[in-house]
């Protein structure tokens, strides 16, 4: 990932975390308005509130090697 893309992604993750914290402190807020105020997609906010992790943080079930096996091959 390019440094600029990494910075933008971490900035987006920060905004998502702030939106989740705002919603948890005041659940009567509308997700659509909250997402718009933090400039994030409503669908992303909704899935994160349901404790679903982003794809890049999950381990695929179709992987042939475990992380330990993969690291031993790299070494």
């Amino acid at each position: 990932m390019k440094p600029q893309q990494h910075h933008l992604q971490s900035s987006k993750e920060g905004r998502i975390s702030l939106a989740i914290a705002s919603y948890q402190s005041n659940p009567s807020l509308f997700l659509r308005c909250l997402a718009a105020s933090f400039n994030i997609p409503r669908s992303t906010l909704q899935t994160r509130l349901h404790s679903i992790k982003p794809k890049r943080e999950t381990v695929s079930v179709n992987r042939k090697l475990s992380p330990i096996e993969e690291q031993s091959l790299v070494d």
Side-chain angles (χ1 to χ4, degrees):
M1 186 179 293
K2 295 178 183 177
Q4 185 178 9
Q5 288 176 334
H6 181 68
H7 174 69
L8 292 175
Q9 188 62 34
S10 63
S11 173
K12 183 179 178 182
E13 288 297 324
R15 292 193 314 268
I16 291 170
S17 296
L18 289 173
I20 289 171
S22 295
Y23 182 79
Q24 288 173 341
S25 67
N26 188 2
S28 64
L29 295 173
F30 290 107
L31 290 182
R32 181 181 48 213
C33 296
L34 193 59
S37 65
F38 283 97
N39 192 25
I40 55 173
R42 181 204 48 83
S43 58
T44 302
L45 180 59
Q46 189 171 10
T47 56
R48 295 291 181 85
L49 284 170
H50 288 111
S51 301
I52 299 173
K53 294 181 180 180
K55 285 184 180 179
R56 69 180 180 286
E57 290 183 11
T58 59
V59 178
S60 175
V61 295
N62 297 326
R63 294 182 77 171
K64 301 285 185 194
L65 299 174
S66 70
I68 295 171
E69 292 170 329
E70 185 176 339
Q71 186 60 40
S72 67
L73 286 175
V74 170
D75 291 342

